[in-house]
């Protein structure tokens, strides 16, 4: 059976994939959810000492993920959430993976759509250029707006306490500036690459931080002949992998990936 690689996003760690790891392992798949370099410790440790968060860069993350994928016995299904969705696109563009799924994906370079809800969600970081040199946390209210706006208050608090860590302000600022700087930046992909594996975008209709408009724009940027599709799930927020009913989505996107895997 195809191995599966699950790539986490910002403000969380691989722990955010815990349900999907168990779900896919129960189906017989080998599943890995690699941490970013330095994120191998627990959530509680990163909240107590966020120094590793400040040290990470997109090139280091990609290089680390590629190393993990090369160690697998065959090309895996790669699934990424949020920033992990952008990293999934980069990995596919670099020739890795049999198929890819980008869930509520952060945009790759060239996607200029900036919905107001995204501005509000990322304002804790982008409100000050000084945050480029900081690990910036979200408080519970900010987390609820950006990640869990369709969850109950109890669910949101529990997930905040279990998953939330600060995010690297420099990477977030870099993603904003990428569209205004000359040359290829860290999240560049070749939208005309006919050799990359099939890619499915998945969007939650109620996502505030990476709304459907971003997924649709990112999808439209691809001009290659290889398969690139998009689906939207009604009623789902950004933290889709932890929202009630996630099992159906996990099964449907895996079925799509296995059917289209090269």
């Amino acid at each position: 059976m195809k191995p599966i690689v699950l790539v986490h996003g910002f403000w969380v760690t691989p722990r955010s994939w815990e349900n999907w790891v168990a779900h896919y392992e129960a189906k017989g798949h080998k599943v890995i959810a690699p941490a970013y370099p330095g994120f191998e410790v627990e959530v509680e440790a990163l909240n107590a000492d966020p120094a590793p968060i400040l040290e990470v860069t997109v090139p280091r993350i990609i290089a680390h993920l590629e190393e993990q994928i090369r160690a697998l016995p065959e090309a895996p299904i790669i699934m990424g959430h949020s920033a992990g969705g952008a990293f999934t696109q980069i990995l596919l563009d670099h020739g890795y993976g049999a198929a890819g799924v980008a869930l509520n994906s952060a945009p790759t370079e060239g996607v200029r759509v900036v919905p107001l809800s995204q501005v509000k969600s990322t304002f804790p970081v982008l409100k000050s250029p000084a945050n480029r040199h900081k690990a910036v946390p979200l408080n519970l209210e900010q987390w609820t707006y950006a990640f869990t706006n369709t969850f109950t208050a109890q669910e949101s608090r529990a997930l905040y306490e279990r998953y939330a860590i600060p995010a690297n302000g420099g990477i977030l600022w870099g993603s904003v500036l990428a569209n205004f700087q000359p040359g290829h930046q860290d999240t560049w992909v070749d939208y005309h690459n006919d050799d990359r594996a099939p890619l499915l975008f998945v969007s939650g209709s109620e996502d505030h931080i990476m709304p459907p408009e971003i997924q649709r724009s990112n999808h439209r940027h691809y001009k290659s002949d290889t398969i690139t599709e998009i689906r939207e799930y009604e009623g789902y927020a950004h933290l889709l992998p932890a929202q009630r009913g996630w099992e159906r989505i996990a099964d449907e996107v895996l079925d799509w990936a296995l059917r289209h895997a090269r």
Side-chain angles (χ1 to χ4, degrees), residues 56-113:
V56 78
T57 65
V58 171
R60 283 189 64 203
I61 292 170
I62 297 300
H64 178 67
L65 293 172
E66 291 177 346
E67 180 181 11
Q68 297 289 310
I69 292 170
R70 285 195 297 269
L72 295 171
E74 62 176 305
I77 306 299
I78 305 174
M79 300 185 187
H81 173 250
S82 195
F87 299 154
T88 295
Q89 295 180 63
I90 295 169
L91 291 167
L92 264 59
D93 186 48
H94 289 185
Y96 293 89
V101 179
L103 299 126
N104 289 342
S105 180
T108 44
E109 185 178 333
V111 178
R112 296 176 181 269
V113 175

Side-chain angles (χ1 to χ4, degrees), residues 23 52 194 256:
H23 187 71
D194 292 333
W256 183 95

Side-chain angles (χ1 to χ4, degrees), residues 5 14 16 39 47 97 100 124 127 140 164 196:
V5 177
S16 62
F39 285 44
N47 280 314
K127 66 182 179 181
L140 177 58
R196 70 151 173 83

Side-chain angles (χ1 to χ4, degrees), residues 3-24:
I4 299 172
V5 177
L6 302 174
V7 185
H8 68 89
F10 296 150
W11 281 296
V12 296
T13 72
R15 186 187 285 182
S16 62
W17 283 117
E18 58 187 346
N19 294 330
W20 290 50
V21 170
H23 187 71
Y24 287 150

Side-chain angles (χ1 to χ4, degrees), residues 7-259:
V7 185
H8 68 89
F10 296 150
W11 281 296
V12 296
T13 72
R15 186 187 285 182
S16 62
W17 283 117
E18 58 187 346
N19 294 330
W20 290 50
V21 170
H23 187 71
Y24 287 150
E25 285 180 341
K27 293 177 178 292
H29 293 272
K30 175 180 176 59
V31 185
I32 63 171
Y36 300 162
F39 285 44
E40 296 84 2
V41 298
E42 295 293 345
V43 166
E44 294 78 10
L46 286 169
N47 280 314
D49 178 14
I53 297 171
L54 283 171
E55 295 171 3
V56 78
T57 65
V58 171
R60 283 189 64 203
I61 292 170
I62 297 300
H64 178 67
L65 293 172
E66 291 177 346
E67 180 181 11
Q68 297 289 310
I69 292 170
R70 285 195 297 269
L72 295 171
E74 62 176 305
I77 306 299
I78 305 174
M79 300 185 187
H81 173 250
S82 195
F87 299 154
T88 295
Q89 295 180 63
I90 295 169
L91 291 167
L92 264 59
D93 186 48
H94 289 185
Y96 293 89
V101 179
L103 299 126
N104 289 342
S105 180
T108 44
E109 185 178 333
V111 178
R112 296 176 181 269
V113 175
V114 185
L116 288 176
S117 66
Q118 185 186 50
V119 174
K120 181 176 178 179
S121 297
T122 55
F123 189 71
V125 175
L126 303 181
K127 66 182 179 181
S128 171
N131 286 335
R132 295 173 68 182
H133 309 289
K134 296 179 181 178
V136 184
L138 299 177
N139 61 35
L140 177 58
E141 180 181 357
Q142 293 163 343
W143 164 272
T144 299
Y145 181 83
F147 279 76
T148 55
N149 50 296
T150 61
F151 293 59
T152 68
Q154 294 80 5
E155 289 170 337
S156 184
R157 177 178 290 277
L159 292 167
Y160 176 73
E161 293 174 351
R162 180 154 181 78
Y163 293 158
I165 63 168
N168 182 305
I171 294 179
L172 288 165
W173 266 97
S175 68
V176 171
L177 298 174
N179 290 327
F180 305 98
Q181 294 176 322
H184 297 160
Q185 305 302 310
D186 290 344
T187 57
W188 182 84
V189 298
D190 180 2
Y191 294 119
H192 296 268
N193 181 2
D194 292 333
D195 295 325
R196 70 151 173 83
L199 171 63
L200 173 66
F201 285 94
V202 172
S203 181
S205 68
E206 307 309 308
D207 189 345
H208 279 165
I209 192 169
M210 299 297 170
E213 303 97 293
I214 292 176
Q215 314 307 311
R216 291 193 289 266
S217 179
N218 207 156
H219 173 258
R220 286 195 300 269
H221 272 68
Y222 281 95
K223 308 300 182 184
S224 56
D225 289 334
T226 190
I227 297 170
T228 310
E229 297 183 2
I230 186 167
R231 293 181 182 179
E232 183 173 324
Y233 285 89
E234 190 67 30
Y236 280 83
H238 187 63
L239 198 60
L240 178 152
Q243 188 168 339
R244 292 180 188 180
W246 63 264
E247 298 92 340
R248 175 174 66 94
I249 299 175
D251 289 342
E252 289 179 359
V253 300
L254 178 59
D255 177 70
W256 183 95
L258 293 173
R259 284 189 289 108

